[in-house]
Amino acid sequence: MKTIYLNKKPIEVPECVATIGVFDGVHLGHQHLIGMMATKAKEQKRCSMVITFDRQPRQLFDPDYRPLLLTTLEEKESIISRMGIDYLVVLPFTHDLAALTAETFMRQMLWEQLHVRTLITGYDNRFGKNRAEGFDDYVRYGRQIGIMVLRGEAEMMADGKRAVSSSAIRQLLIENGAVALMPQYLTRNYSLTGHIVSGEHIGHQLGFPTANLSPDCSNKLIPAAGAYAVWARVEGESQKRPAMMNIGTRPTFDGNRQTLEVNILDFDGDLYGKTVTVDFVERLRPEQRFKSPEELTAQLHKDRQQVEQLLK
């Protein structure tokens, strides 16, 4: 896959079939849409193209808005690259781009610059100035321009009442820490990458040495507070290791600042400064205050046994 960060310089790409969206999470619905696009590209003997943006559009108009991302742009690129797509085009979401009507965007950007000849849109996707128009408008403009416009179908959540969406997945993670459901909706574990920084060494005192993880992306969504079973991948190592992770403020010690602490089972190497990626498998329990450090230690032993059983 070739990634193109579109700027003012002209690019050379062949005629293609494309789909466009933010694609945060590249979840099941996104994957089916991208798969539909790739299939259509093969039928038409054209290249396949995913078009996305360098930021959440709302960030352009609300500087104080802090998106909770399921995937960083780098993660998104990595996931899409494994789907057999020819091109990933990243558009800088600027005021000039936001001011384009849907018709102008389709003519100038899709047809003239990116050579899109067939466009597959999500079932509820809207683009163009103020997102004022919808699928029927895109079809009409497409006929005038020469772009065939098709629409993908929604993929439903397990309850059958909601479509799989980035916002629904965020809700599950924030409210319930429902990481065990993520393979169903993301087709992979939810992950978080950061580097290890110095902490207060409370875990060492309890016999469970932990490494404090500082996320590399400040906007990456952090699941609900609690204890988790995770796989940990340490920079420079090919294997993943079973680990237990705690997200919270350490209420037993009257903490008031959120920390992300990882205890990699049976690991005694130096982690400080290294990059670690954690893949969340299951939430063991919510965050809780214990009456004493001894009671907390007893619970940590139970947590470890559960992690060993889950990840054996």
Side-chain angles (χ1 to χ4, degrees):
M1 184 183 79
K2 182 176 181 180
T3 300
I4 299 172
Y5 289 84
L6 198 67
N7 50 35
K8 295 181 180 180
K9 296 180 180 180
I11 62 171
E12 294 184 8
V13 293
E15 290 187 350
C16 65
V17 179
T19 186
I20 183 170
V22 175
F23 299 119
D24 184 32
V26 198
H27 56 60
L28 184 65
H30 296 148
Q31 291 175 33
H32 282 197
L33 185 66
I34 293 171
M36 176 182 173
M37 179 270 295
T39 298
K40 187 63 66 174
K42 288 181 180 178
E43 291 174 358
Q44 298 181 7
K45 294 181 170 57
R46 287 173 167 152
C47 288
S48 55
M49 178 183 289
V50 173
I51 305 169
T52 191
F53 305 99
D54 66 347
R55 72 190 81 179
Q56 292 273 1
R58 181 177 165 184
Q59 290 178 272
L60 180 68
F61 305 103
D62 183 0
D64 296 326
Y65 172 63
R66 181 177 174 269
L68 297 176
L69 301 177
L70 298 172
T71 46
T72 64
L73 184 57
E74 292 76 15
E75 290 170 333
K76 196 186 305 183
E77 179 180 4
S78 176
I79 296 165
I80 293 174
S81 71
R82 298 193 291 271
M83 299 179 68
I85 303 304
D86 296 310
Y87 293 95
L88 172 66
V89 175
V90 180
L91 302 182
F93 197 81
T94 63
H95 286 285
D96 288 341
L97 183 68
L100 297 179
T101 63
E103 182 180 11
T104 302
F105 177 80
M106 290 177 67
R107 185 181 301 278
Q108 293 183 357
M109 189 68 66
L110 300 185
W111 174 266
E112 295 177 3
Q113 290 195 50
L114 299 178
H115 301 160
V116 175
R117 298 300 178 254
T118 299
L119 178 68
I120 315 291
T121 73
Y123 75 98
D124 63 346
N125 188 27
R126 288 176 176 266
F127 56 83
K129 185 177 180 179
N130 298 325
R131 303 176 72 210
E133 295 160 298
F135 177 72
D136 291 340
D137 300 301
Y138 308 149
V139 171
R140 186 172 71 256
Y141 300 147
R143 290 198 189 104
Q144 298 168 1
I145 297 167
I147 299 175
M148 178 190 298
V149 181
L150 305 172
R151 179 164 57 185
E153 299 296 327
E155 296 295 326
M156 302 306 291
M157 303 285 282
D159 59 13
K161 299 178 181 178
R162 298 179 294 170
V164 176
S165 67
S166 302
S167 58
I169 292 171
R170 291 188 198 103
Q171 184 179 13
L172 286 171
L173 290 172
I174 293 172
E175 294 184 358
N176 305 315
V179 297
L181 294 177
M182 293 305 103
Q184 180 177 345
Y185 298 129
L186 297 179
T187 69
R188 64 187 184 278
N189 294 118
Y190 182 70
S191 65
L192 185 67
T193 297
H195 58 280
I196 302 302
V197 298
S198 181
E200 298 180 17
H201 306 289
I202 293 176
H204 286 74
Q205 299 170 22
L206 300 176
F208 287 85
T210 58
N212 278 44
L213 187 72
S214 176
D216 289 343
C217 175
S218 61
N219 289 332
K220 189 73 187 285
L221 184 148
I222 297 172
Y228 292 86
V230 303
W231 289 108
R233 288 173 283 154
V234 181
E235 175 187 2
E237 294 189 353
S238 59
Q239 70 180 111
K240 59 182 181 181
R241 297 174 178 271
M244 47 199 285
M245 183 172 188
N246 187 77
I247 298 174
T249 59
R250 294 180 291 197
T252 302
F253 300 95
D254 297 321
N256 56 16
R257 179 176 61 87
Q258 185 187 63
T259 60
L260 287 71
E261 299 176 286
V262 185
N263 172 243
I264 302 178
L265 275 54
D266 302 320
F267 181 83
D268 58 3
D270 184 8
L271 290 173
Y272 288 113
K274 288 191 175 182
T275 297
V276 174
T277 297
V278 293
D279 295 333
F280 291 87
V281 177
E282 188 165 314
R283 191 188 193 201
L284 306 176
R285 56 181 173 82
E287 181 180 39
Q288 59 191 107
R289 177 189 290 272
F290 294 91
K291 296 178 181 179
S292 66
E294 291 75 19
E295 185 176 326
L296 170 57
T297 301
Q299 180 61 53
L300 291 175
H301 281 289
K302 294 178 182 178
D303 292 343
R304 176 178 175 128
Q305 291 176 353
Q306 192 173 353
V307 169
E308 290 173 337
Q309 291 174 354
L310 286 169
L311 306 183
K312 62 183 179 181

